[in-house]
Coordinates of all heavy atoms in Angstrom, one line a residue:
K32 N -8.5 18.8 22.4 CA -7.4 19.9 22.2 C -6.1 19.2 22.5 O -5.1 19.5 21.6 CB -7.7 20.9 23.3 CG -6.6 22.0 23.1 CD -7.0 23.1 24.2 CE -5.9 24.1 24.2 NZ -5.9 25.1 25.3
A33 N -5.9 18.3 23.3 CA -4.6 17.6 23.7 C -4.3 16.8 22.5 O -3.1 16.9 22.1 CB -4.7 16.7 25.0
V34 N -5.1 16.1 21.8 CA -4.8 15.4 20.6 C -4.3 16.3 19.5 O -3.3 16.0 18.9 CB -5.9 14.4 20.2 CG1 -5.7 13.8 18.8 CG2 -6.2 13.4 21.2
M35 N -5.1 17.3 19.2 CA -4.8 18.4 18.2 C -3.4 19.0 18.4 O -2.8 19.4 17.5 CB -5.9 19.3 18.1 CG -7.4 18.7 17.7 SD -7.2 17.8 16.1 CE -7.0 19.2 15.0
E36 N -3.1 19.2 19.6 CA -1.8 19.9 20.0 C -0.7 18.9 20.3 O 0.5 19.5 20.5 CB -2.1 20.8 21.2 CG -3.0 22.0 20.7 CD -3.3 22.9 22.0 OE1 -2.9 22.7 23.1 OE2 -4.1 23.9 21.6
G37 N -0.9 17.8 20.0 CA 0.2 16.8 20.2 C 0.5 16.5 21.8 O 1.6 15.9 22.0
E38 N -0.3 16.8 22.7 CA 0.0 16.6 24.1 C -0.5 15.2 24.4 O -0.1 14.6 25.5 CB -0.8 17.6 24.9 CG -0.3 19.1 24.7 CD -1.2 20.0 25.4 OE1 -2.1 19.8 26.1 OE2 -0.8 21.2 25.0
A39 N -1.2 14.5 23.5 CA -1.6 13.1 23.9 C -1.9 12.5 22.5 O -2.4 13.0 21.7 CB -3.0 13.0 24.7
S40 N -1.4 11.2 22.4 CA -1.7 10.5 21.2 C -3.1 10.1 21.2 O -3.9 10.1 22.1 CB -0.8 9.1 21.3 OG -1.3 8.2 22.2
I41 N -3.6 9.6 19.9 CA -5.0 9.1 19.9 C -5.3 7.9 20.7 O -6.3 7.8 21.2 CB -5.5 9.0 18.3 CG1 -6.9 8.8 18.2 CG2 -4.7 7.9 17.7 CD1 -7.7 10.0 18.7
H42 N -4.2 7.0 20.8 CA -4.3 5.8 21.5 C -4.6 6.3 23.2 O -5.5 5.7 23.7 CB -3.1 5.0 21.5 CG -3.1 3.7 22.3 ND1 -3.8 2.6 22.0 CD2 -2.4 3.5 23.4 CE1 -3.8 1.8 23.1 NE2 -2.8 2.3 23.8
T43 N -3.8 7.1 23.6 CA -3.9 7.6 24.9 C -5.2 8.3 25.2 O -5.9 8.1 26.2 CB -2.7 8.6 25.3 OG1 -1.5 7.9 25.1 CG2 -2.9 9.1 26.7
A44 N -5.7 9.1 24.1 CA -7.0 9.9 24.3 C -8.0 8.9 24.3 O -9.1 9.1 25.1 CB -7.1 10.8 23.1
A45 N -8.1 7.9 23.5 CA -9.1 6.7 23.5 C -9.1 6.0 24.9 O -10.1 5.7 25.4 CB -8.9 5.8 22.4
E46 N -8.0 5.8 25.5 CA -7.9 5.3 26.8 C -8.6 6.1 27.9 O -9.2 5.7 28.7 CB -6.5 4.9 27.2 CG -5.8 3.8 26.6 CD -6.2 2.5 27.2 OE1 -6.3 2.4 28.4 OE2 -6.4 1.5 26.4
M47 N -8.3 7.5 27.8 CA -9.0 8.5 28.8 C -10.4 8.4 28.6 O -11.1 8.4 29.6 CB -8.5 9.9 28.4 CG -7.2 10.2 28.8 SD -6.8 12.0 28.8 CE -5.6 11.9 27.3
V48 N -10.9 8.3 27.2 CA -12.4 8.1 27.1 C -13.0 6.9 27.9 O -14.0 6.9 28.4 CB -12.8 8.3 25.6 CG1 -14.2 8.0 25.5 CG2 -12.5 9.6 25.1
D49 N -12.3 5.7 27.6 CA -12.6 4.5 28.1 C -12.6 4.4 29.7 O -13.5 3.8 30.2 CB -11.9 3.3 27.5 CG -12.2 3.0 26.1 OD1 -13.2 3.4 25.7 OD2 -11.2 2.4 25.5
L50 N -11.7 5.0 30.3 CA -11.3 4.8 31.6 C -11.8 6.0 32.7 O -11.9 5.8 33.8 CB -9.8 4.5 31.9 CG -9.3 3.3 31.3 CD1 -7.8 3.1 31.4 CD2 -10.1 2.0 31.8
L51 N -12.0 7.2 32.0 CA -12.1 8.4 33.0 C -13.4 9.0 32.6 O -13.7 9.2 31.4 CB -10.9 9.3 32.8 CG -9.5 8.7 33.0 CD1 -8.5 9.9 32.8 CD2 -9.4 8.3 34.5
S52 N -14.0 9.7 33.6 CA -15.1 10.6 33.4 C -14.5 11.8 32.6 O -13.3 12.1 32.7 CB -15.8 11.0 34.6 OG -14.9 11.8 35.4
K53 N -15.4 12.7 32.0 CA -14.9 13.9 31.5 C -14.3 14.8 32.5 O -13.4 15.4 32.2 CB -16.1 14.8 30.7 CG -16.5 14.0 29.5 CD -17.5 14.7 28.7 CE -17.8 14.1 27.4 NZ -18.8 14.8 26.5
E54 N -14.8 14.8 33.7 CA -14.2 15.7 34.7 C -12.8 15.1 35.1 O -11.8 15.9 35.3 CB -15.1 15.6 36.0 CG -14.5 16.4 37.2 CD -15.4 16.4 38.5 OE1 -16.6 16.8 38.3 OE2 -14.9 15.7 39.4
E55 N -12.5 13.9 35.1 CA -11.3 13.3 35.4 C -10.4 13.5 34.2 O -9.2 13.7 34.4 CB -11.4 11.8 35.7 CG -12.1 11.5 37.1 CD -12.6 10.0 37.1 OE1 -12.8 9.3 36.1 OE2 -12.7 9.6 38.3
Q56 N -10.8 13.5 33.0 CA -10.1 13.8 31.8 C -9.4 15.1 32.0 O -8.3 15.3 31.8 CB -10.9 13.6 30.5 CG -11.3 12.2 30.3 CD -12.4 12.3 29.1 OE1 -12.5 13.2 28.4 NE2 -13.2 11.2 29.1

Side-chain angles (χ1 to χ4, degrees):
K32 181 179 176 189
V34 171
M35 296 302 290
E36 294 181 355
E38 296 170 2
S40 70
I41 192 61
H42 176 72
T43 300
E46 286 280 315
M47 280 191 258
V48 170
D49 285 342
L50 299 176
L51 305 174
S52 68
K53 286 188 178 184
E54 181 179 296
E55 291 166 335
Q56 294 167 23

